Amino acid sequence: MNRTKIDFFISYTSANERWAEWIGWILEEEGFSVKVQAWDFAAGSNFVLEMQRAAEEASRTIAVLSPAYLKSTFAAPEWAAAFAKDPEGFERSLVPVRVEKCEAGGLLKAIVHIDLVGLEKDEARDRLL
């Protein structure tokens, strides 16, 4: 089955759901299509299969970076799927957005991130866009 492409899949942990939704709202206001678990995964659906579909459908994955995200069992496969599509970063398939002080390690450390830590709302919005 052919699926509709979406611009962004927002990968996050429950600890950063408010950030993920804020990022989603900002991007949708700018005309981008967004997939966010809290908005798009219906009760009774298979979480893992929904993540797989989102990873396949998205042109880009935003990884909402925080200490909780970096420790999450499910987060690593989500950002790794985006990385695997574009390991050299030419398409900018993986866009890390740091929302709390943390230090990414391994392969994720080499991906340039957007840093929103400590910014006021308007400045964070501008930096995100």
Side-chain angles (χ1 to χ4, degrees):
M1 173 195 301
N2 267 348
R3 300 201 185 278
T4 304
K5 276 290 198 189
I6 56 171
D7 295 312
F8 293 98
F9 165 50
I10 302 179
S11 171
Y12 66 97
T13 65
S14 60
N16 299 114
E17 185 171 312
R18 290 181 73 185
W19 271 110
E21 289 184 313
W22 181 82
I23 291 167
W25 289 319
I26 298 300
L27 293 172
E28 283 190 346
E29 283 177 356
E30 293 296 314
F32 294 104
S33 57
V34 177
K35 184 154 289 211
V36 178
Q37 176 188 341
W39 299 347
D40 299 304
F41 295 6
S45 64
N46 183 309
F47 170 78
V48 175
L49 292 177
E50 291 290 346
M51 290 296 185
Q52 173 64 28
R53 280 190 278 276
E56 288 175 351
E57 294 170 1
S59 296
R60 293 190 173 118
T61 295
I62 291 178
V64 181
L65 297 183
S66 69
Y69 186 85
L70 296 174
K71 292 177 188 171
S72 170
T73 303
F74 286 101
E78 293 170 17
W79 71 257
F83 179 86
K85 283 189 211 176
D86 181 30
E88 295 183 85
F90 294 130
E91 301 297 320
R92 312 252 184 325
S93 295
L94 176 59
V95 182
V97 177
R98 195 171 79 123
V99 298
E100 292 181 40
K101 288 188 178 192
C102 60
E103 177 110 12
L107 296 174
L108 191 54
K109 186 175 186 157
I111 309 299
V112 177
H113 65 274
I114 296 169
D115 195 354
L116 303 183
V117 176
L119 300 180
E120 296 295 323
K121 187 177 177 181
D122 289 338
E123 189 178 1
R125 183 185 187 286
D126 291 344
R127 179 134 342 140
L128 177 66
L129 294 175

